[in-house]
DNA sequence: TCCTTACGCTACGACCCGTAGCGTAACTGC
DNA sequence: GCAGTTACGCTACGGGTCGTAGCGTAAGGA
């Protein structure tokens, strides 16, 4: 993407985009059937109708492959304007929870995060492919709330950034923990209780 | 622990408790050196000075072994009375974050949770060995705050339970997400900001 | 002293890993 | 067209882990 930056003037046989898609599809399919731990490169290659060597020409290993395969799921996250900050928060919570109900996402997300604790390049990959895309929703939601007058515009830019990071960790962390650790459903009732807790906290911060 | 319930009248050579301890120590040591993915049963056996078959006589596999090895780390979590709910929350946040700084905890916790998404018995094991022990701190903290008059005693028992679950997921989820996903430090400043957000939310819930 | 269970050790088939080597396929520039 | 370059499929390989079986020995209880 950055180092060689080919794409244009490039000689030789081009990479098969069909193979790319087939491999990523096969990876998600294998995640559903086998889960993270039993997924193997050989199995993915077979499902994709592709030689195993073709996988290794594109991805360094299982970690990187799965991150890319799962990342597209997070592109489905959106933040339509629901008219109020409360509705926006509750909407994104339910949407994120629905994503975590999908078996490919459940089994892969925690696993790659676990791997990333010992692999900085993998952590950066996760950040750019998954985490940053989620965080944009928080920033967008804040902007909308500020435009509506529900939240104050903040003077200190770095304090505002820290605040956004905090809210992001609270929202994403709570949903992930509820879903994967406590292993209980994020239904409308829970989302409502969580949203009111968060918004009351934000309101209190605006006041005091 | 429950089915056969031996312990007392049991014939034959007893299990070596020294081997138990050596294996669990070796497991944590191997987690530090190799991380979850590269930890192998053979390596643990070698470090513990024990035959590989001895491991399999006690644990079904890597998942169960690591859960037991890491569970004791969570026994260190305590909740001394710091005089106010805010101080108690901030204290437990920092304590939990310090635990997640330890490499054996970081690499193991997310990994076993990931595995538990496809293994109900493992999930139950994690719940009883790790999660429930953390949740007790939340219940204890609430009791203290109620005794101090900082929080109201709740009438509806099931609503109170749901509320405690919510707060637990918010606290634990935010700290885990901050530490392992965002990969940024939980310092006193962050803990303070998080605590005030949470307490303002709770205060607002008491009022409205 | 018997009986029972745990331990250490060795060996094993099965599987996955990641790579090398080869011939072939596809696309670019001359 | 033709050479040059890169991608692909296939086969084969050494190295490693898995989980189990079989054996002789060690350590307790009746």
């Amino acid at each position: 993407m950055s180092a060689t930056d080919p794409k244009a003037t490039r000689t030789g046989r081009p990479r098969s985009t069909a193979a790319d898609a087939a491999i990523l599809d096969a990876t998600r399919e294998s995640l559903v059937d086998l889960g993270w731990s039993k997924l193997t490169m050989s199995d993915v290659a077979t499902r994709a109708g592709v030689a195993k060597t073709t996988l290794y020409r594109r991805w360094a290993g299982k970690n990187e492959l799965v991150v890319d395969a799962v990342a597209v799921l997070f592109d489905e996250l959106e933040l339509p304007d629901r008219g109020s900050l409360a509705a926006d928060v509750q909407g994104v919570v339910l949407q994120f929870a629905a994503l975590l109900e999908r078996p490919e996402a459940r089994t892969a997300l925690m696993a790659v995060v676990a791997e990333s604790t010992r692999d900085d390049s993998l952590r950066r990959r996760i950040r750019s492919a998954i985490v940053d895309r989620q965080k944009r929703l928080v920033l967008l939601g804040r902007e909308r709330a500020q435009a509506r007058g529900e939240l104050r515009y903040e003077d200190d830019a770095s304090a505002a950034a820290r605040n956004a990071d905090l809210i992001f960790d609270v929202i994403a962390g709570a949903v992930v923990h509820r879903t994967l650790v406590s292993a209980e459903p994020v239904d409308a009732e829970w989302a409502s209780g969580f949203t009111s807790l968060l918004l009351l906290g934000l309101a209190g911060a605006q006041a005091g």
Side-chain angles (χ1 to χ4, degrees), chain A:
Chain A
M1 287 295 184
S2 56
T4 49
D5 189 1
K7 186 58 152 307
T9 60
R10 175 70 171 277
T11 173
R13 176 177 177 174
R15 289 256 171 105
S16 165
T17 58
D20 283 315
I23 291 169
L24 293 176
D25 286 345
T27 303
R28 285 186 292 271
E29 187 183 313
S30 185
L31 279 173
V32 174
D33 291 350
L34 305 178
W36 162 267
S37 61
K38 293 183 181 172
L39 177 146
T40 70
M41 298 295 268
S42 304
D43 177 74
V44 172
T46 304
R47 287 174 190 261
V50 155
K52 193 173 55 165
T53 46
T54 298
L55 266 71
Y56 282 104
R57 287 194 190 97
R58 291 157 204 250
W59 289 277
K62 179 172 161 174
N63 293 339
E64 292 77 6
L65 171 61
V66 169
V67 170
D68 285 5
V70 171
V72 301
L73 300 178
F74 290 83
D75 289 337
E76 300 173 5
L77 292 175
E78 292 175 356
L79 189 63
D81 192 332
R82 292 182 170 86
S84 73
L85 178 56
D88 280 1
V89 170
Q90 188 158 351
V92 78
V93 163
L94 288 172
Q95 208 176 6
F96 187 35
L99 178 56
L100 291 179
E101 288 299 316
R102 298 178 64 166
E104 5 21 321
R106 306 178 70 106
T107 191
L109 187 62
M110 289 293 96
V112 295
V113 168
E115 290 301 305
S116 76
T117 61
R118 308 202 106 236
D119 183 341
D120 274 2
S121 69
L122 181 63
R123 188 159 54 71
R124 286 191 295 272
R125 195 186 195 99
I126 294 173
R127 178 182 286 279
S128 65
I130 297 179
V131 178
D132 283 348
R133 300 184 188 183
Q134 300 178 56
K135 195 181 286 187
R136 281 195 203 106
L137 301 183
V138 172
L139 300 176
L140 176 59
R142 180 177 63 178
E143 282 177 23
R144 284 214 194 111
Q146 287 170 335
R148 289 190 201 102
E150 294 179 294
L151 288 179
R152 186 190 300 158
Y153 287 94
E154 302 180 65
D155 312 324
D156 186 351
S158 78
R162 281 200 304 276
N163 223 350
D165 287 348
L166 172 61
I167 292 166
F168 171 59
D169 284 325
V170 168
I171 295 176
V175 173
V176 169
H177 200 273
R178 168 84 177 177
T179 305
L180 300 184
V181 180
S182 296
E184 297 190 34
V186 171
D187 50 20
E189 181 185 0
W190 187 91
S192 165
F194 170 76
T195 300
S196 72
L197 177 67
L198 175 62
L199 293 202
L200 287 169
L202 292 176
Q206 301 275 338

